[in-house]
Amino acid sequence: MNIIKPSTIAGVMELLPEEQIVFDRFKYIIEEKFKKYAFLPIETPLIEKDEILFAKGGGETTKQIFRIDSNSKDMSLRFDLTVPLARYVSEHFSNLNFPFKRYQIAKVYRGERNQKGRYKEFYQCDIDIIGNEHLSVYNDAQLPAVIYEIFRELNFKDIQFHINNRKLLNGFFESLGIKDTTEVLRIIDKLQKIGEDNVKSLLKEINLDEKKSQRLIDFISDKSDNKSLLESLKNRCDKELFNEGLDELTKVYSYMLEFGIPDENIVIDLSITRGLDYYTSTVYETFIKGYENIGSVCSGGRYDNLANNFSKQNLPGVGMSIGLTRLFYQFSQLDLLKKFEENYLDALLIPMNEDCNFYLIDLLNELRDKKIKADIYLEKGKMKKKFNYADKIGVKRVVIAGIDEKEMGKFSLRDMESGEQIIVNKEQLIERLKG
Amino acid sequence: MNIIKPSTIAGVMELLPEEQIVFDRFKYIIEEKFKKYAFLPIETPLIEKDEILFAKGGGETTKQIFRIDSNSKDMSLRFDLTVPLARYVSEHFSNLNFPFKRYQIAKVYRGERNQKGRYKEFYQCDIDIIGNEHLSVYNDAQLPAVIYEIFRELNFKDIQFHINNRKLLNGFFESLGIKDTTEVLRIIDKLQKIGEDNVKSLLKEINLDEKKSQRLIDFISDKSDNKSLLESLKNRCDKELFNEGLDELTKVYSYMLEFGIPDENIVIDLSITRGLDYYTSTVYETFIKGYENIGSVCSGGRYDNLANNFSKQNLPGVGMSIGLTRLFYQFSQLDLLKKFEENYLDALLIPMNEDCNFYLIDLLNELRDKKIKADIYLEKGKMKKKFNYADKIGVKRVVIAGIDEKEMGKFSLRDMESGEQIIVNKEQLIERLKG
């Protein structure tokens, strides 16, 4: 038979089982925390109608959409979980209760060019809270509280939430006489990447004079501690939008503390803008101290209206998203996954011959019911081959039974690391395997 | 703005959150049992190269493949989890240990015509055990043991495993002088659907004489109990293949009992063939007593070689699969999901005014850390609106705090069903919410 070389398409992450167990553990931790904070699960189909996916018109992302080759050419793979959420909330509006808190952990698809750490298929872990007409600003503090717990559980305690408010920024721009705020947001979003001088040149190109440029840069670069910074912003600017933003930012900050995030994990950072995204007030980015170079591990913000393409209802919302596939890739590159590895098996049972199969299956059934992760090796072969298998799967304890053990009603328990082998009865065996 | 009617593509299952919770619970139970039996997780990309998916040539299923509209037209969505498994095992062969026990619970895609209960996107929950060159017949008994535990946990104790062996069937066909065994398998697979007379006509069409037809039908229709049936098959036929099949069937049956499946849940059923599928010895179908009309809820069998398109290695395997989406649809049609519904929330906390927000958030943090599923309602509005929300989400207990409660350090606990409201301190509250 003609053999086809087995390979995945380029630009996808496919893991070996031992890595997959770690990945699944991450996913499980994230989901459990989402549930703990009373977010509800939804699961939307991977394929959406093109009229839904392209509703906002052709941005950068829509160029990367995987279209389905059907006669009618009217469906494609989702490129994020936000557009499907907007469609879902609009479609099921009358059956949902608002504020509607939902999570979705699922794969999305983008025809990214092949490069390391960029994937065509990747997991997004999204939480959003959607209001009907109104949504209190306190919700903006709940999301980082969930994320904080997730990273703490993942043993990254040094997570830093950089928060800002676009109303405050836009109000400040207004006070400088800047009209094209979108363009300015886009430019200052690059500050960290391209540095102050380059930002100044770009601001000059859009006709902002040097003095105002400097004031703008001084404003967004203020690294005072949270409380001093908020204090110094009071009466800083007489624009209504600015003070509305300041009030929101102050509330979000104090509620983040109240929801249990320590002050040292919060950075009010006026340079955070989330660039071209559709956010309208609160914006967040999240960094891990010591690993800032991997970029934001969780971002999001508040938007005025989720679903203006699909619904006449005004549905304000706030959301955050973890890009799990990319995060997992980065952690693995930094060799940070080792500590999450776990044995999927506590013990492997090896009958010395077929006559002992039932004797060990009886034990197996009992171990499994006692939540001991056990399996049995029932293949034919010499003991050497069987131990070889135990070695390869990395199991630490092997339980062996031959005619002798069976007649005595006992078991040989072998420690695969030390090579030590002892004879035990069932109670002793269970005790040792549980310990 | 132009409003686009929000809707999914046709032929997909999209659930409301309360249904999704039940669906997720099914998925969780299945996964936990797969893990308990030491199956390893793998996750393959949804998109595969066409040369992989079409490797076996164009069967019925390949006509339903969703192709990706790319310039090179060389990738599509998977239509099952078996072809990706074959590709995975071949690609990662040197990094896997055999027997390789894997599970995958994931969506697959088929361009089915729109009809009730048929989905374009649906979950398959697959377990397979793959050997390298050899795989002991005892593995064939492990799979139904997992499935038995799953359905028991789902409260369907009356599950019936119908098992058979194709070698035994083919050996019997040989003894009747039948050469085209595939055609005969295809015909007798229809017995239940079209009845004995129609099967006889079809057998006549392929030139099987009436006497042999009758012998064949008598053979596959034998409804003796398992032990008598196996006994009666001994010395029934002198074909080697028949006796090899009988030996395997006998072993699989006795090991199923040994793995904990009661005899009354096993039916040795010589009419089970799995039609045109690629199985070579053991075959299974699974029915729920009283609900036979929904068809087999879990099917599978043993195959000689998983990956002859992708690998020179001979990789025999055995697998079973639950079609979860279809099963969930059927259970919901039969109104069997009610008992799985659960409250996603034990208590909703409602501050009477903003001054009490922090007082109740402190409580919320504590309740959540004590594993009580709680949430807080922080939206503005009258108490009536707040209670209305509590009503709609179906939460049974509401905790209210106003200035009075806050000053006393107490809480009002309201039972939403009886309307009874009492004042309690924190310890009493926690006790009641836990109870």
Side-chain angles (χ1 to χ4, degrees):
Chain A
M1 181 168 293
N2 190 22
I3 302 285
I4 296 157
K5 188 174 174 286
S7 63
T8 65
I9 63 164
V12 291
M13 177 185 276
E14 182 168 84
L15 304 170
L16 289 170
E18 58 271 26
E19 304 165 318
Q20 189 67 48
I21 288 171
V22 180
F23 189 92
D24 287 355
R25 177 138 175 245
F26 275 49
K27 199 146 64 84
Y28 177 77
I29 288 172
I30 294 170
E31 181 161 18
E32 285 305 295
K33 294 296 176 192
F34 286 174
K35 284 186 196 166
K36 178 178 172 186
Y37 279 78
F39 287 82
L40 289 166
I42 73 167
E43 188 168 354
T44 60
L46 231 114
I47 304 173
E48 293 273 357
K49 289 181 180 173
D50 281 346
E51 62 189 51
I52 301 292
L53 294 179
F54 290 91
K56 282 211 193 291
E60 257 317 299
T61 316
T62 52
K63 283 183 200 152
Q64 301 180 330
I65 286 180
F66 281 111
R67 306 187 76 160
I68 302 290
D69 179 23
S70 70
N71 289 331
S72 46
K73 301 238 186 238
D74 58 356
M75 50 189 179
S76 303
L77 300 187
R78 63 181 170 219
F79 58 91
D80 71 7
L81 301 177
T82 308
V83 174
L85 171 65
R87 196 262 310 142
Y88 183 96
V89 172
S90 312
E91 184 172 351
H92 304 292
F93 179 79
S94 56
N95 289 311
L96 301 175
N97 302 306
F98 295 89
F100 176 55
K101 297 169 72 174
R102 88 84 176 80
Y103 74 83
Q104 186 167 13
I105 300 174
K107 287 175 171 178
V108 302
Y109 293 82
R110 293 186 193 171
E112 296 265 7
R113 262 184 309 159
N114 294 334
Q115 52 174 309
K116 266 203 160 182
R118 286 272 164 203
Y119 294 100
K120 289 195 174 74
E121 174 186 70
F122 57 97
Y123 268 101
Q124 286 196 335
C125 311
D126 278 22
I127 35 175
D128 287 81
I129 308 178
I130 313 295
N132 182 6
E133 299 299 331
H134 298 283
L135 183 71
S136 98
V137 67
Y138 309 125
N139 292 288
D140 302 33
Q142 284 194 51
L143 304 186
V146 190
I147 303 298
Y148 174 71
E149 276 212 39
I150 288 169
F151 279 88
R152 209 176 47 175
E153 184 93 8
L154 291 173
N155 261 314
F156 294 98
K157 288 175 189 107
D158 272 353
I159 186 177
Q160 303 264 298
F161 292 98
H162 289 241
I163 58 165
N164 195 9
N165 188 293
R166 277 209 182 168
K167 287 181 189 164
L168 179 131
L169 278 184
N170 285 332
F172 186 76
F173 299 163
E174 260 182 39
S175 75
L176 292 180
I178 296 167
K179 271 168 199 137
D180 188 356
T181 54
T182 321
E183 192 56 21
V184 174
L185 282 174
R186 206 177 56 78
I187 293 169
I188 64 176
D189 194 39
K190 296 180 179 167
L191 184 60
Q192 264 205 319
K193 232 186 205 165
I194 64 174
E196 196 175 310
D197 288 348
N198 287 316
V199 164
K200 276 183 186 164
S201 327
L202 288 174
L203 289 172
K204 201 172 176 182
E205 278 175 28
I206 60 161
N207 299 318
L208 197 68
D209 71 41
E210 213 169 313
K211 212 175 130 193
K212 285 179 176 173
S213 264
Q214 193 58 52
R215 277 184 65 196
L216 180 57
I217 286 171
D218 289 345
F219 179 79
I220 63 173
S221 309
D222 193 334
K223 300 287 177 220
S224 308
D225 68 86
N226 297 325
K227 288 190 177 77
S228 316
L229 181 54
L230 286 176
E231 195 56 40
S232 77
L233 290 174
K234 281 183 193 164
N235 309 314
R236 174 82 165 263
C237 175
D238 59 3
K239 296 287 171 192
E240 205 188 329
L241 196 60
F242 179 93
N243 289 303
E244 204 183 305
L246 178 58
D247 180 54
E248 289 179 2
L249 186 59
T250 307
K251 281 180 177 154
V252 172
Y253 168 66
S254 69
Y255 273 72
M256 280 171 75
L257 293 173
E258 174 61 22
F259 274 112
I261 307 175
D263 197 26
E264 64 261 31
N265 295 88
I266 306 172
V267 181
I268 297 178
D269 180 347
L270 304 181
S271 73
I272 293 293
T273 72
R274 302 290 311 140
L276 290 177
D277 285 337
Y278 42 82
Y279 301 116
T280 47
S281 63
T282 306
V283 284
Y284 329 82
E285 293 196 348
T286 314
F287 300 92
I288 300 174
K289 230 177 174 171
Y291 301 102
E292 287 83 357
N293 59 324
I294 68 174
S296 173
V297 294
C298 179
S299 307
R302 154 83 69 148
Y303 37 88
D304 268 347
N305 195 347
L306 174 72
N308 50 5
N309 296 108
F310 310 128
S311 171
K312 282 175 188 162
Q313 265 85 22
N314 188 39
L315 303 169
V318 60
M320 287 187 96
S321 176
I322 299 175
L324 180 57
T325 304
R326 191 169 160 70
L327 186 69
F328 190 82
Y329 167 79
Q330 287 162 329
F331 282 1
S332 90
Q333 292 297 101
L334 293 166
D335 214 15
L336 294 174
L337 298 179
K338 282 262 159 18
K339 60 182 166 189
F340 295 101
E341 281 171 17
E342 52 185 306
N343 283 316
Y344 78 99
L345 217 55
D346 299 318
L348 181 71
L349 280 45
I350 300 181
M352 290 185 74
N353 49 61
E354 275 195 35
D355 289 340
C356 303
N357 283 0
F358 278 23
Y359 182 62
L360 282 186
I361 292 174
D362 283 342
L363 176 70
L364 177 69
N365 292 338
E366 195 171 335
L367 294 181
R368 282 177 172 164
D369 284 339
K370 289 195 154 55
K371 312 249 182 249
I372 294 167
K373 293 179 280 182
D375 204 5
I376 190 164
Y377 187 87
L378 291 174
E379 301 309 298
K380 280 183 187 151
K382 296 191 172 146
M383 283 310 281
K384 198 186 158 190
K385 178 187 164 196
K386 297 176 182 179
F387 279 121
N388 203 6
Y389 174 79
D391 253 341
K392 281 201 289 183
I393 66 169
V395 68
K396 294 219 168 68
R397 258 92 55 106
V398 166
V399 179
I400 307 141
I403 304 295
D404 291 348
E405 284 90 347
K406 187 179 161 186
E407 274 178 4
M408 291 188 294
K410 298 201 168 178
F411 306 92
S412 289
L413 175 63
R414 186 189 184 100
D415 184 307
M416 290 298 284
E417 279 169 347
S418 68
E420 191 198 7
Q421 189 167 317
I422 51 171
I423 294 194
V424 288
N425 64 28
K426 198 164 70 182
E427 289 66 38
Q428 292 166 326
L429 178 73
I430 288 170
E431 203 174 300
R432 280 181 179 256
L433 291 180
K434 277 202 160 177
Chain B
M1 181 167 293
N2 189 22
I3 302 285
I4 297 155
K5 188 174 174 289
S7 62
T8 65
I9 63 165
V12 290
M13 177 185 279
E14 182 169 85
L15 304 170
L16 288 170
E18 57 271 26
E19 304 164 319
Q20 189 67 48
I21 288 171
V22 179
F23 189 93
D24 287 355
R25 179 140 173 246
F26 275 49
K27 199 145 64 85
Y28 177 79
I29 288 171
I30 293 170
E31 181 161 18
E32 284 306 295
K33 294 297 177 194
F34 286 175
K35 284 185 197 167
K36 179 179 173 188
Y37 279 77
F39 287 83
L40 289 166
I42 73 167
E43 187 168 353
T44 60
L46 230 115
I47 304 173
E48 294 272 357
K49 290 181 180 174
D50 281 347
E51 62 189 52
I52 302 292
L53 295 179
F54 290 91
K56 283 211 193 290
E60 256 318 295
T61 316
T62 53
K63 281 183 203 153
Q64 300 180 331
I65 286 181
F66 280 111
R67 307 188 75 161
I68 302 290
D69 179 23
S70 70
N71 289 331
S72 47
K73 302 237 186 239
D74 58 356
M75 49 190 181
S76 302
L77 299 186
R78 63 181 171 219
F79 58 90
D80 71 5
L81 300 177
T82 307
V83 175
L85 171 65
R87 197 262 310 142
Y88 184 96
V89 172
S90 312
E91 184 173 351
H92 304 292
F93 179 77
S94 56
N95 290 310
L96 301 175
N97 303 306
F98 295 89
F100 176 56
K101 296 169 71 173
R102 88 84 177 80
Y103 74 84
Q104 185 166 13
I105 300 174
K107 287 173 170 179
V108 302
Y109 293 83
R110 293 186 195 171
E112 296 264 8
R113 263 183 310 158
N114 293 334
Q115 52 174 309
K116 267 204 161 182
R118 285 272 165 201
Y119 293 101
K120 290 195 174 73
E121 174 186 70
F122 57 96
Y123 269 100
Q124 286 196 336
C125 310
D126 278 22
I127 35 176
D128 287 82
I129 307 178
I130 313 296
N132 181 7
E133 300 298 331
H134 298 282
L135 183 72
S136 97
V137 67
Y138 309 125
N139 292 287
D140 302 31
Q142 283 195 52
L143 304 187
V146 191
I147 303 299
Y148 174 71
E149 275 213 38
I150 288 169
F151 280 88
R152 208 176 47 174
E153 183 92 9
L154 291 173
N155 261 314
F156 294 97
K157 288 177 189 103
D158 271 352
I159 185 176
Q160 303 263 300
F161 293 98
H162 289 241
I163 58 166
N164 195 7
N165 187 294
R166 276 210 183 169
K167 285 181 190 167
L168 180 130
L169 278 186
N170 285 332
F172 186 76
F173 298 163
E174 259 183 42
S175 75
L176 293 181
I178 296 167
K179 270 169 199 136
D180 188 357
T181 55
T182 321
E183 193 56 20
V184 174
L185 281 174
R186 207 176 57 77
I187 293 170
I188 64 174
D189 193 39
K190 296 180 179 167
L191 183 62
Q192 264 206 318
K193 233 184 204 166
I194 62 174
E196 196 175 312
D197 288 346
N198 288 315
V199 164
K200 276 185 186 163
S201 327
L202 288 173
L203 289 173
K204 199 172 177 183
E205 277 175 29
I206 60 160
N207 299 318
L208 197 67
D209 71 42
E210 213 169 314
K211 211 175 132 195
K212 285 179 178 175
S213 265
Q214 194 57 54
R215 276 185 64 196
L216 180 57
I217 285 170
D218 290 345
F219 178 78
I220 63 174
S221 309
D222 193 333
K223 301 288 178 221
S224 309
D225 68 86
N226 297 326
K227 287 189 178 76
S228 315
L229 182 53
L230 286 176
E231 196 55 41
S232 78
L233 290 173
K234 280 182 195 165
N235 309 314
R236 174 81 166 263
C237 174
D238 59 2
K239 296 287 171 191
E240 203 187 80
L241 195 61
F242 179 93
N243 288 304
E244 204 183 305
L246 177 59
D247 180 54
E248 288 179 3
L249 186 59
T250 307
K251 281 182 177 155
V252 172
Y253 168 67
S254 69
Y255 272 72
M256 282 172 75
L257 294 173
E258 173 62 21
F259 274 113
I261 308 176
D263 197 25
E264 63 261 32
N265 296 87
I266 306 173
V267 181
I268 297 176
D269 180 347
L270 303 181
S271 73
I272 294 292
T273 73
R274 303 288 310 137
L276 289 176
D277 285 338
Y278 42 84
Y279 301 115
T280 47
S281 63
T282 305
V283 284
Y284 327 85
E285 293 196 349
T286 315
F287 300 92
I288 300 173
K289 231 177 172 169
Y291 301 102
E292 287 83 358
N293 60 324
I294 68 175
S296 174
V297 295
C298 179
S299 308
R302 155 82 70 148
Y303 36 89
D304 267 348
N305 196 346
L306 174 72
N308 51 4
N309 296 108
F310 309 128
S311 171
K312 282 175 188 163
Q313 264 84 24
N314 188 38
L315 302 169
V318 60
M320 287 188 96
S321 177
I322 300 174
L324 180 57
T325 304
R326 192 168 160 70
L327 185 69
F328 190 82
Y329 167 79
Q330 287 162 328
F331 282 2
S332 92
Q333 291 298 100
L334 293 166
D335 214 14
L336 295 175
L337 298 178
K338 281 263 159 17
K339 60 182 166 189
F340 296 101
E341 281 172 18
E342 52 184 308
N343 283 316
Y344 78 99
L345 218 54
D346 299 318
L348 181 70
L349 280 45
I350 300 181
M352 291 184 74
N353 50 60
E354 274 195 32
D355 291 339
C356 303
N357 283 0
F358 277 24
Y359 181 64
L360 281 187
I361 292 176
D362 284 341
L363 176 70
L364 178 67
N365 292 338
E366 195 171 334
L367 294 181
R368 281 177 172 165
D369 284 339
K370 288 195 155 55
K371 314 247 183 250
I372 294 167
K373 293 178 279 181
D375 203 6
I376 190 164
Y377 187 86
L378 291 174
E379 302 307 299
K380 280 181 187 153
K382 296 192 173 144
M383 284 308 282
K384 197 186 159 190
K385 179 187 163 197
K386 296 177 182 180
F387 280 121
N388 203 6
Y389 173 79
D391 253 341
K392 280 202 289 184
I393 65 169
V395 68
K396 294 218 168 68
R397 258 90 55 105
V398 166
V399 180
I400 308 140
I403 304 295
D404 291 348
E405 284 90 347
K406 187 179 158 187
E407 273 177 6
M408 291 188 294
K410 297 201 168 178
F411 306 92
S412 289
L413 176 62
R414 187 190 184 98
D415 184 308
M416 291 297 284
E417 280 170 346
S418 67
E420 189 198 8
Q421 189 167 319
I422 51 171
I423 294 195
V424 289
N425 65 27
K426 198 164 68 182
E427 289 65 40
Q428 293 166 326
L429 178 72
I430 289 169
E431 203 174 300
R432 279 179 179 256
L433 291 180
K434 278 202 160 176

